[in-house]
Amino acid sequence: MVMKNYPPEFKADAVALYQSRPGVTIRQIAADLGINPETVRNWVRAAGASQPRGRRAEAPAEPATPLETENAALRKKIRELEEEREILRKAAKYFGRGDALVNRFQFVADHQRRHGVKRLCTLLGIARSSFYYWRATAVDRAARQSADARLATRIQAVHLESDGTYGVPRITAELRDQSERVNHKRVARVMRQVGLAGLRLRRRHRTTVPDPAAAKAPDLIGRDFTAREVNTKYVGDITYLPVHGGKFCYLATVVDLASRRLAGWAIADHMRTELVTDAFAAAQRTRGSLASAVFHTDHGSQYASRGFAEACRSAGVIQSMGAIGSSADNALAESFNATFKRETLQGRKSWSSEREARLDAFRWLTRYNTRRRHSRLGQRSPIAYETATTTTSTTLAEAA
């Protein structure tokens, strides 16, 4: 479930996220973080960061000078010429895209008054009966096109709300939750028509630095990244966050294998053992206890350190490690990190500053738990999945 007591760092990051996004309201920030808007509003007021958001009254425009008037006329003329060029370009491709037969029908419809249906159909090699049938079904076709246009608007809204990351499966699930009766094939077709697509992951570079002298733990996962119950199996990893100027921040994560929930995470400008122990401690706070859980990682020196081993022993956690040099043995954690960077950077090589990297990470990582749909969870968010699972278990227990 969502936290009720928020640490000061979380509050400060929420206020900073609000300040960094001038066009976004407190309600939208609260929705991304999965908390009550009034709670965020109180944090913003307490920090003295409250600012009016909306359209400001525009100052009366000063009378245009003759030169400005002339420039405006020239700009208008340029726009008209550009529009004419675009029209001519489309005309040249009249038969170059889409359904060739439909394009011929459309050509006849557009030019029949000047040349006549019989002559045009003969020249284009189509039957007049086929053209008349096409024209008679124009109303039904227009209705379908109108329905597709309305659907495209809803798809674009969902795609934009996901920061341009959702593809066909997640958008279909979102629309169905909004009571839209639609299948994934139609969503895919409309997305192609409007030029939308979800983000695809790329293979990341391996950054693990093993310590040959460190103690080794057995592999208790065996590439089976599933769990029957939450808070029983976790995976962890570290990834770098590139910052402009050749600098880096580092993100350590702790992911539950049952619900895919990000139970804990930490960001720092170093890769010392404290980075992974901080993420581990955050997971402890989230779950209350990690006793008897398995925590699987690679052979990075941070996870093989005495400090991390002691943290696991104190929490009653059983360490697990994959083979040295095998990224597949910790594939789920690496996939999570790759998704995070892909959906936050979106093609950029780096963040402009450490502050921007931290705020983007804070927003995405929190949103991941509360709102981002996961195919493994039936297109539900991790917290929604945990809530549903808990409700079902409680109901079954009461029935028994």
Side-chain angles (χ1 to χ4, degrees), residues 288-366:
S289 173
L290 298 176
S292 300
V294 174
F295 189 69
H296 183 79
T297 65
D298 55 29
H299 279 267
S301 58
Q302 300 84 2
Y303 293 112
S305 66
R306 292 181 179 179
F308 185 72
E310 179 58 33
C312 289
R313 280 194 296 270
S314 299
V317 169
I318 306 169
Q319 276 191 274
S320 170
M321 291 183 178
I324 295 177
S326 176
S327 60
D329 285 352
N330 201 25
L332 189 140
E334 296 202 8
S335 175
F336 175 91
N337 290 335
T339 300
F340 159 72
K341 286 200 286 188
R342 181 67 175 171
E343 295 190 1
T344 50
L345 284 172
Q346 296 197 13
R348 295 177 296 165
K349 293 183 178 180
S350 64
W351 281 275
S352 62
S353 65
E354 181 180 333
R355 181 175 183 272
E356 182 190 26
R358 287 177 178 269
L359 288 177
D360 275 0
F362 172 72
R363 177 175 182 266
W364 190 93
L365 295 172
T366 306

Side-chain angles (χ1 to χ4, degrees), residues 34 44 55 94 137 164 187 190 200-201 208 220 224 226 260 262 269 274 281 286 333 343-344 347 369 373 380:
V44 171
R55 293 190 175 182
Y94 205 102
T137 56
V187 171
V190 174
R200 295 182 180 272
L201 298 180
T208 301
L220 304 178
D224 178 14
T226 61
R260 299 299 196 264
L262 180 64
D269 58 0
E274 300 95 279
T286 298
E343 295 190 1
T344 50
N369 279 337
R373 296 179 181 274
R380 289 174 289 184

Side-chain angles (χ1 to χ4, degrees), residues 205-240:
H205 294 289
R206 179 172 171 267
T207 57
T208 301
V209 180
D211 183 356
K216 306 297 188 294
D219 185 353
L220 304 178
I221 297 295
R223 300 187 183 181
D224 178 14
F225 300 108
T226 61
R228 293 182 178 274
E229 298 179 2
V230 299
N231 199 23
T232 57
K233 293 182 182 179
Y234 293 90
V235 292
D237 196 13
I238 299 174
T239 190
Y240 65 92

Side-chain angles (χ1 to χ4, degrees), residues 22 51-59:
Q51 297 179 357
R53 299 207 172 179
R55 293 190 175 182
R56 300 178 178 176
E58 297 182 357

Side-chain angles (χ1 to χ4, degrees), residues 3 9 68 106 156 242 287-288 316 340 353:
M3 291 187 295
E9 295 82 5
E68 291 173 338
Q106 190 63 57
Q156 288 170 328
R287 294 305 193 191
F340 159 72
S353 65

Side-chain angles (χ1 to χ4, degrees), residues 94 101-111 131 134 141:
Y94 205 102
L101 183 60
V102 170
N103 286 337
R104 283 183 281 176
F105 288 153
Q106 190 63 57
F107 184 86
V108 173
D110 292 345
H111 299 84
F131 167 74
W134 177 84
R141 189 167 56 254

